[in-house]
């Protein structure tokens, strides 16, 4: 599913291999919190299978979903680059398989490519 995604699929074979070499696979269950709003970003995440919810809780207590990220999509790169805290909570919506790249590995990829 990652290769079929528009962004990853458009990368050169060399860069795709470099991203995969610096990644780890993580299988998470429904409700697993991957990041909390206002925490420092730790990983750049690609969804292989499942779905991850990007959202927050509004001041009145209602949940707000900005987006559901599905197979072939990536997120989290902006917070890793700008060093600012996460804007949203990141929670597995269903059992999901993710490809995770740490901040240091992402910076290494950026320096190399």
């Amino acid at each position: 599913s990652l290769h079929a995604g528009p962004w990853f699929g458009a990368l050169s074979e060399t860069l795709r291999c470099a991203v995969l070499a610096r990644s780890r696979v993580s299988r998470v269950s429904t409700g697993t919190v991957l990041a909390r709003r206002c925490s420092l970003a730790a990983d750049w995440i690609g969804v292989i299978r499942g779905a991850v919810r990007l959202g927050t809780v509004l001041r009145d207590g209602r949940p707000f979903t900005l987006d559901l990220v599905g197979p072939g999509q990536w997120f989290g790169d902006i917070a890793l680059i700008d060093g600012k805290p996460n804007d949203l909570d990141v929670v597995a919506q269903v059992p999901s398989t993710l490809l995770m790249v740490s901040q240091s590995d992402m910076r290494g990829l950026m320096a190399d490519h």
Side-chain angles (χ1 to χ4, degrees):
S1 65
L2 285 178
H3 291 291
W7 176 82
F8 194 76
L11 296 178
S12 69
E13 182 67 23
T14 301
L15 187 49
R16 283 194 307 262
C17 288
V19 170
L20 294 174
R22 292 180 180 250
S23 302
R24 68 188 187 284
V25 174
S26 181
R27 289 174 180 80
V28 298
S29 58
T30 301
T32 298
V33 176
L34 301 166
R36 283 278 180 215
R37 183 173 187 233
C38 298
S39 66
L40 292 178
D43 294 294
W44 177 39
I45 303 171
V47 179
I48 298 170
R49 186 172 39 158
V52 175
R53 177 184 168 274
L54 306 180
T56 192
V57 176
L58 300 175
R59 289 183 186 176
D60 64 6
R62 291 180 298 146
F64 170 76
T65 299
L66 176 67
D67 200 2
L68 288 174
V69 180
Q73 294 179 300
W74 290 77
F75 64 93
D77 48 323
I78 299 303
L80 290 177
I81 292 169
D82 68 16
K84 294 182 180 175
N86 290 312
D87 291 332
L88 301 164
D89 294 325
V90 180
V91 181
Q93 187 73 12
V94 296
S96 300
T97 303
L98 311 170
L99 199 60
M100 303 180 80
V101 180
S102 71
Q103 183 177 40
S104 61
D105 283 330
M106 183 180 175
R107 288 189 174 160
L109 284 165
M110 291 171 54
D112 292 346
H113 297 275

